[in-house]
Amino acid sequence: MQTLADPCALGLINPLLQTIKVWDVHDGQCLRTLAGHTELVRCVRFNKEFIVSGSYDNKVRVWDFQTGDHLYQLEGHSNRVFRVQFDSFKIISSSQDDHIRIWDFLDVDG
């Protein structure tokens, strides 16, 4: 499996699909496809460790940036997720349900 050493040399795009594609922006090669959402992926944020996505399936998903492994599915919104943001401690998501949720990144299982 290819190691993704430089997140600045990568692009994440999602042309209105249920998947997220990780691209090498230098040579245009698709490195990974992340599947799991059951509706349109609306928003994606990433750093060198994680990829966080929100979808019209009302869920937020967290992926391992290096391996592409799906780590967590966060449920709590009752409508489409439009925006996600995160740091080392929190994941914040907003939804068409008129709620902003703050998830504890250190305890997403709990």
Side-chain angles (χ1 to χ4, degrees), residues 45-96:
R45 295 284 183 264
F46 68 99
N47 65 15
K48 338 181 211 192
E49 295 180 75
F50 302 104
I51 298 169
V52 177
S53 59
S55 170
Y56 281 14
D57 64 9
N58 310 344
K59 295 175 181 61
V60 174
R61 290 183 179 263
V62 181
W63 317 83
D64 182 289
F65 183 86
Q66 292 297 321
T67 65
D69 291 340
H70 179 258
L71 302 175
Y72 308 109
Q73 175 176 290
L74 306 177
E75 298 183 39
H77 286 293
S78 62
N79 213 320
R80 300 170 171 175
V81 176
F82 283 121
R83 187 167 318 272
V84 294
Q85 191 59 268
F86 73 100
D87 62 19
S88 299
F89 304 102
K90 303 283 183 213
I91 300 169
I92 301 170
S93 58
S94 63
S95 167
Q96 192 175 5

Side-chain angles (χ1 to χ4, degrees), residues 2 4 6-15 17 19-34 46 51 65:
Q2 183 172 0
L4 306 177
D6 182 8
C8 294
L10 300 172
L12 294 175
I13 68 163
N14 172 37
L17 299 173
T19 59
I20 300 161
K21 295 195 178 280
V22 180
W23 298 85
D24 182 317
V25 297
H26 296 299
D27 66 12
Q29 176 185 0
C30 180
L31 303 174
R32 268 189 194 87
T33 299
L34 309 177
F46 68 99
I51 298 169
F65 183 86

